[in-house]
Amino acid sequence: MNQISHNIIGDIHGRDIWKQLVDDTLINVFIGDFFDPYTRRIPFEECMRNFTEIVSYKKQHPENTVLLWGNHELHYLLRNELRERYSRFDYENADAIGEALEENSCYFSGIAYSIGDKYLVTHAGVSRYWYMKWFGAYHGQELSSVAQDINNLWDLNRAAFSVQANGTFPYDQDSPTQSPLWVRPWALEKHNLFEGTAYIQVFGHTQCSKISEHNRLICIDCLGNVPRGNENTPLTLKI
């Protein structure tokens, strides 16, 4: 059995539960979406405090903390370009959020993070169609190479990860052309970049009741579902 080395933490959305979930003995990977909470009970000040504390944790543990971008960061980073506005966009505090993200962008590792020769971690997953549009057909490249290509594209052209650049789509329907910040699991089921390989994709973005694997796809966006009566139900993925 492989030794556990990573602790992958799902969409934060202003919550402070991450403080209970980080593990100083492992590499903690945050998969994005730090702002735009689902409930008004989490005020902006609390969202910003949690984001700032996560960045501080990264500064204190630079070797075992990985921060990835999510779509709820993208619409603040692109607010003066494409002007995309996704769900729960904070108009009142958009400038402050955008400035905080830009000021701390040096602590982020990009969009994709590979773990050994088995796992690729992104916010939403990588579809075959999106990859083909920006890089050409996939021909068995190693995970580290795929991650590096995606991160290089982010550095050169953030707009390549927007909704507009990849074709609009209904929220609840197939979206195979969408980026690793936006594609949905039901699209990945049909259009997984790594279909026919042993590679496993780990992502959040779409809320799920618990962490589970299906067809080499693992969704971990479950931090809004704190276990009740079963403390053994995992809220992070340890691999």
Side-chain angles (χ1 to χ4, degrees):
M1 180 179 295
N2 294 331
Q3 183 177 359
I4 293 175
S5 60
H6 288 73
N7 180 41
I8 308 179
I9 301 171
D11 305 31
I12 298 297
H13 288 300
R15 305 181 183 100
D16 61 7
I17 193 172
W18 67 271
K19 299 177 184 179
Q20 305 169 35
L21 301 176
V22 289
D23 187 331
D24 293 350
T25 69
L26 302 174
I27 298 174
N28 297 283
V29 182
F30 292 82
I31 62 169
D33 278 10
F34 298 97
F35 292 94
D36 301 344
Y38 286 97
T39 171
R40 293 183 179 180
R41 288 178 293 180
I42 304 178
F44 164 71
E45 292 75 15
E46 186 172 340
C47 292
M48 182 61 77
R49 182 172 62 252
N50 274 303
F51 174 71
T52 301
E53 291 179 356
I54 289 171
V55 172
S56 295
Y57 185 85
K58 165 68 175 180
K59 294 177 182 178
Q60 295 165 13
H61 305 85
E63 300 301 322
N64 74 331
T65 310
V66 175
L67 306 181
L68 300 179
W69 298 106
N71 63 301
H72 283 272
E73 283 75 63
L74 183 66
H75 62 180
Y76 297 108
L77 294 171
L78 293 180
R79 67 192 189 284
N80 295 323
E81 296 178 47
L82 299 181
R83 299 186 180 277
E84 288 193 354
R85 301 293 185 266
Y86 312 141
S87 58
R88 305 183 307 283
F89 182 84
D90 189 340
Y91 287 90
E92 181 178 356
N93 300 293
D95 287 342
I97 295 172
E99 290 172 5
L101 293 172
E102 291 287 7
E103 289 174 1
N104 293 288
S105 61
C106 60
Y107 299 109
F108 280 72
S109 297
I111 297 291
Y113 178 77
S114 61
I115 301 176
D117 58 357
K118 189 171 184 179
Y119 299 96
L120 184 73
V121 184
T122 60
H123 179 67
V126 185
S127 80
R128 184 167 62 249
Y129 283 104
W130 180 84
Y131 187 90
M132 182 178 296
K133 174 175 181 177
W134 298 98
F135 305 106
Y138 176 71
H139 295 296
Q141 293 92 324
E142 294 182 354
L143 291 181
S144 58
S145 177
V146 171
Q148 188 61 59
D149 286 345
I150 292 172
N151 291 334
N152 287 342
L153 178 62
W154 171 261
D155 291 339
L156 293 170
N157 182 14
R158 291 175 178 174
F161 296 83
S162 69
V163 171
Q164 294 179 46
N166 297 291
T168 58
F169 66 99
Y171 177 88
D172 60 346
Q173 294 185 19
D174 201 336
S175 55
T177 63
Q178 282 301 314
S179 81
L181 296 186
W182 261 113
V183 68
R184 294 295 179 181
W186 41 87
L188 287 178
E189 286 275 352
K190 301 176 183 177
H191 311 288
N192 185 354
L193 176 65
F194 301 121
E195 183 179 2
T197 76
Y199 297 149
I200 296 174
Q201 293 208 55
V202 179
F203 53 86
H205 182 56
T206 301
Q207 293 185 85
C208 54
S209 60
K210 63 180 180 179
I211 296 172
S212 60
E213 179 179 350
H214 183 64
N215 289 342
R216 298 191 176 278
L217 301 172
I218 304 178
C219 184
I220 65 167
D221 183 10
C222 65
L223 295 189
N225 302 303
V226 178
R228 297 179 180 178
N230 185 3
E231 288 72 20
N232 294 323
T233 300
L235 290 177
T236 67
L237 178 66
K238 289 183 167 61
I239 53 178

